[in-house]
Amino acid sequence: QVQLVESGGGSVQPGGSLTLSCEASGFTIDYFAIGWFRQAPGKEREGVSCITYNGRSTYYSDSVKGRFTISRDNSKKMVYLQMNDLKHEDAAVYYCATDWRGSSWCKGPPGPSGLDIWGKGTPVTVSS
């Protein structure tokens, strides 16, 4: 079964850090860009970051650039999102996703539309 499973979410104070993980199963991620997206209550899902199949290129939304770092380990079928200096506005459910197009969709800060495979998400809460 092809799936992505996120983990690592939780509650953190402003200024704190979390690392999210995305584990793939049922397929090899070697040929696919992976993206992170988030959705806060009452808001539309937005792109956070994506990384090309070989990890050579990464892209971030302006709101997280300089604070978040995406990385991957293809041998483990894992993609990570290191989040530092978390702010209240970072609170959301975080999803990882990919698409059978490979890496062609990851050429800039990602948009959430048109991707084929989504995880169920992991929640991140930022509160004092």
Side-chain angles (χ1 to χ4, degrees):
Q1 182 180 2
V2 171
Q3 63 178 355
L4 296 172
V5 178
E6 304 91 342
S7 62
S11 181
V12 64
Q13 293 184 340
S17 299
L18 280 175
T19 299
L20 305 184
S21 298
C22 172
E23 182 174 11
S25 62
F27 70 110
T28 177
I29 65 170
D30 295 24
Y31 310 109
F32 300 99
I34 305 288
W36 283 97
F37 303 83
R38 67 187 182 186
Q39 187 167 19
K43 295 188 176 182
E44 293 187 352
R45 190 171 297 187
E46 64 174 352
V48 174
S49 179
C50 67
I51 184 168
T52 53
Y53 72 100
N54 55 10
R56 291 178 182 172
S57 295
T58 57
Y59 302 94
Y60 301 90
S61 66
D62 287 343
S63 61
V64 307
K65 195 174 298 181
R67 300 187 297 121
F68 290 12
T69 302
I70 191 171
S71 61
R72 65 190 293 156
D73 184 339
N74 287 354
S75 67
K76 296 181 179 178
K77 296 187 175 182
M78 297 290 293
V79 176
Y80 307 97
L81 186 69
Q82 172 69 43
M83 307 187 295
N84 297 327
D85 190 23
L86 283 160
K87 306 178 185 301
H88 289 292
E89 52 265 39
D90 294 318
V93 177
Y94 283 72
Y95 303 87
C96 58
T98 190
D99 191 87
W100 295 126
R101 288 173 284 168
S103 275
S104 62
W105 61 273
C106 177
K107 295 182 178 179
S113 61
L115 300 183
D116 295 315
I117 306 169
W118 289 84
K120 294 184 178 180
T122 185
V124 172
T125 303
V126 184
S127 61
S128 303

